[in-house]
Amino acid sequence: MSSPALRLGPLSVRVRPRHLLASSAVVVTAAAVAVVSLAVGEVPLAPARVLAALTGRGTAAEALVVLELRLPRVLLALAVGAVLGMSGATTQLTAGNALASPDLLGVTAGASAGAVTVIVAADRPGASAPLLALGVVGAAVLGGLVAAALVALLLWWVALDGLQPLLVGVGVSALFSGLVSGLLVSASIDDAARATVWLTGSLNARGAQELAVVAVALPLLVVLWAMSSRLSTFALGADVARALGTSTARTVTTALVISVVAVSLATAVAGPVAFVALVAPHLARTLTASPWPPLGASAAAGALLVTGADLVARTALAPVLLPVGAVTALVGAPFLVWLLVRRRNP
Amino acid sequence: MVARAHPAVAAAVLCAALAACAAASLLVGTRDLGAAAVLDVLRGASDDPEAVAVVAGQRLPRTVVGAVAGAALAVGGALAQAHTRNPLADPGLLGVTAGAALGVVGGATWLGLGTAGGAVWTAFAGAAAATTAVGVVAALASSRRDSGPAALVLAGAAVSALLSSVTGVLLLLDLSALDVYRFWTVGSLAGARGGEALAVVWPFVVAGLVLALAQGRALDVLALGDDTARSLGRSLTGTRVTGVVAVVLLVGAAVSCVGSLGFVGLVAPHLVRRASRGDHRSLLPLAALAGAVLVLAADVVGRLVVQPAELPVGVVLGVLGGPAFLVVVARSARRRQRRSRSARASARASARTAPAAR
């Protein structure tokens, strides 16, 4: 499909109307869902009042509910979704594999191992004080970064094309998941239940500390996005990418290391929210009719998915708060099936 | 090394390794029996009731279960990888593991099946139902557009995720189901449930293996791409349906015996892929042997490291198998790197001499 281009001297930007339209639609929907999420809850507010509170024109009570209680959670959902979506697209592009997701790169399992260790060790007599002082979030960040460092080291050591990075991740992942299942089996049933809630992925009872952690990941996304034109050459295959002047090994290593660090931070705050990193790129690709998963639209789709799922998780069985990870797949999977079976040209 | 050997040599090495692991599995345990006593029991000539109980009652069944489950998972994984043409596919991809897990948890929640051993049928039924759903979605998807294996992969991922999240919600609401599930999901050969389950499901394993091995030739053709396979006269639908049925039979039976051990199915085919030289008729049997060796070896190690207790085989496979797999990947990657570097160097050398020749 040919598309118009904007040229200004040596600069030219291709204008892809479908891509622009679909991406902005996803961003607008995500923003709308976020506003609805700020409005819905124990104290229902009209969307207009929410916007007033956001711009500082609301009453003190509205400001408390919107800005203090609900906003951190919604921001967290948006940020975690964006990180997972964009990292998913990066992994799928660099691996040239529709099944690839950062979960396969071992950081999710690493963060889980850290968090579960602290949850299980919390009421054991012999637990070491530094471990407990670390807290669940700290331990999850540590576990995720250890796994990320391991993956980065191995990537540098084996240097790679095609599937090697993911196979490396599979090995790291197996190691840490083995640790998690060992801990789960040896734990008391109450600790196992608490660990399971964390392992489902949840945004309940998160606050400023978690927001600060995930804020570190957002600049990483900007770097990834800046690499997107180089990354999209991988959609044509590593050989073509090389022929087009992309230094493939360096690009793959940089992009994957950035992705695993970002995902380990997101996982540390929200737990391993299932399915988002895998499905968001597919949603973005189908909606924008793009031949490869576009990074920006994938981030927006991920943010939409997590925010929407969290809204459902918060309200479906209210006042019981479901963990968001239990809902992402309930919302995302039927959508993916619908995308698969609908007619392309009705 | 198995990696580059001739298929027959690789098969011989793996058979020897399997025999060694099986022998170790019979000999090793909390109770130190000695080789002579174990042999006596196997010949039926033992008069020590305790030795009979330990060897014939526990070690022999778990050895057989481990070998059969490992082989079934590995062949299931190889089939899934061949049919989706995706080397990252594991046997859980087609919804089998997620369906079986929902079967176990649903059985515990709704039917009150308190032990994992009672869950053989619910696990198997869950696996079969889930894979049928994946097949229907994939068939609908590929009749609408020509997307080939991608449809199967995405349908499997979607259905698996959906079932897992239902399982997750059930687990959050029901503590006793979680207690059953956490021991099921880790994958273990301990206790009597594996033997009892295998006594029920072995016909499925045999049928699955026969279907899989009969498919070897078709899989080689499928590896050339859908269009080529079709133009060579293969019925793609027939081949796919047979393959999916074989995966359900093999993996459904294996996970209802030992719980979910997805790693074996993913890794075993990779370990023997180079030795098989792209021929599925040797890849499938070699993968079966490798899978059996992996599970038995992990089980023996799990019994040795924390005596008198034992580590579940799933934990050992992850904690030791993961790094071991990393070593294999890294070694083969470095070897390939060295080779391509020397190829580049010789290309440069010939480029330098070329002008002189002209």
Side-chain angles (χ1 to χ4, degrees), chain A residues 102-114 139-155 168-169 171-177 179 256-257 260-261 263-264, chain B residues 326:
Chain A
D103 297 347
L104 284 177
L105 283 170
V107 286
T108 315
S112 307
V141 171
L142 191 66
L145 290 181
V146 166
L150 199 55
V151 171
L153 193 71
L154 286 161
L155 287 180
V168 163
V172 174
S173 203
L175 166 65
F176 285 107
S177 335
L179 287 177
L256 285 185
V257 169
V260 293
V261 171
V263 169
S264 72
Chain B
L326 283 178

Side-chain angles (χ1 to χ4, degrees), chain A residues 97 99 157-158 163-164 166-168 170-171 174-175 182 184-185 187 193 197 275 282 323 326 329-330 333 339 341 344, chain B residues 86-88 141 144-145 153-154 158 161 165 172 175 178-179 182-183 263 266 315 318-319 322 325-326 329-330 334 336-337:
Chain A
N97 195 311
L99 266 189
W157 161 261
V158 301
L163 225 51
Q164 299 289 348
L166 288 177
L167 290 180
V168 163
V170 166
L175 166 65
L184 276 185
V185 172
V197 173
F275 201 57
H282 288 289
L330 286 179
L339 284 180
V341 302
R344 179 171 273 172
Chain B
N86 194 325
L88 284 183
R144 294 284 155 83
R145 58 173 78 178
V153 166
L154 287 176
S165 72
L172 293 171
L175 212 58
L178 174 63
D179 208 21
R182 65 176 173 151
F183 288 104
F263 185 63
L266 174 60
V315 174
V319 173
F325 180 62
L326 283 178
V329 172
R334 300 218 37 108
R336 201 171 323 151
Q337 221 177 339

Side-chain angles (χ1 to χ4, degrees), chain B residues 75-76 79 83 203-219 238-250 280-281 284:
Chain B
V75 174
L79 283 179
H83 275 283
F204 298 123
V205 178
V206 173
L209 283 176
V210 169
L211 283 180
L213 294 176
Q215 265 208 317
R217 198 57 186 268
L219 293 179
T239 313
R240 285 237 161 86
V241 170
T242 318
V244 170
V245 168
V247 170
V248 176
L249 292 173
L250 288 168
H280 282 89
R281 279 169 302 168
L284 293 173

Side-chain angles (χ1 to χ4, degrees), chain A residues 29 32 43 47 51 86 109 158 212 231 270 273 310:
Chain A
T29 319
V43 184
L51 292 178
M86 196 181 273
V158 301
L231 282 172
V273 184
D310 190 47

Side-chain angles (χ1 to χ4, degrees), chain B residues 47-358:
Chain B
D47 48 4
D48 179 1
E50 209 170 308
V52 173
V54 169
V55 175
Q58 291 178 7
R59 289 186 195 166
L60 188 59
R62 79 187 284 168
T63 306
V64 174
V65 169
V68 170
L73 285 167
V75 174
L79 283 179
Q81 291 173 1
H83 275 283
T84 57
R85 278 202 295 278
N86 194 325
L88 284 183
D90 69 25
L93 178 72
L94 301 176
V96 186
T97 313
L102 183 56
V104 169
V105 173
T109 307
W110 293 314
L111 308 176
L113 298 173
T115 61
V120 176
W121 286 112
T122 52
F124 201 84
T131 311
T132 312
V134 171
V136 169
V137 172
L140 282 176
S142 52
S143 69
R144 294 284 155 83
R145 58 173 78 178
D146 192 26
S147 46
L152 199 59
V153 166
L154 287 176
V159 172
S160 293
L162 194 63
L163 296 178
S164 305
S165 72
V166 174
T167 309
V169 172
L170 288 179
L171 287 178
L172 293 171
L173 300 176
D174 185 353
L175 212 58
S176 61
L178 174 63
D179 208 21
V180 175
Y181 176 75
R182 65 176 173 151
F183 288 104
W184 180 83
T185 191
V186 66
S188 170
L189 300 176
R193 72 160 162 134
E196 287 164 15
L198 188 62
V200 178
V201 298
W202 68 267
F204 298 123
V205 178
V206 173
L209 283 176
V210 169
L211 283 180
L213 294 176
Q215 265 208 317
R217 198 57 186 268
L219 293 179
D220 288 346
V221 178
L222 209 59
L224 302 172
D226 281 2
D227 293 339
T228 315
R230 211 177 280 128
S231 68
L232 286 172
R234 284 285 162 190
S235 149
L236 285 186
T237 316
T239 313
R240 285 237 161 86
V241 170
T242 318
V244 170
V245 168
V247 170
V248 176
L249 292 173
L250 288 168
V251 181
V255 295
S256 47
C257 289
V258 299
S260 66
L261 287 176
F263 185 63
V264 177
L266 174 60
V267 165
H270 284 292
L271 294 179
V272 297
R273 180 143 299 172
R274 286 158 64 85
S276 75
R277 300 172 184 187
D279 181 352
H280 282 89
R281 279 169 302 168
S282 48
L283 176 72
L284 293 173
L286 286 177
L289 286 171
V293 170
L294 276 179
V295 172
L296 282 186
D299 185 43
V300 171
V301 171
R303 274 186 265 168
L304 283 175
V305 284
V306 287
Q307 279 183 329
E310 60 174 84
L311 280 178
V313 62
V315 174
V316 180
L317 271 177
V319 173
L320 294 182
F325 180 62
L326 283 178
V327 171
V328 173
V329 172
R331 279 171 51 106
S332 72
R334 300 218 37 108
R335 204 179 302 125
R336 201 171 323 151
Q337 221 177 339
R338 263 202 304 279
R339 212 177 311 139
S340 72
R341 204 174 296 148
S342 63
R344 266 203 304 276
S346 63
R348 262 199 304 276
S350 57
R352 266 198 303 276
T353 54
R358 197 172 53 202

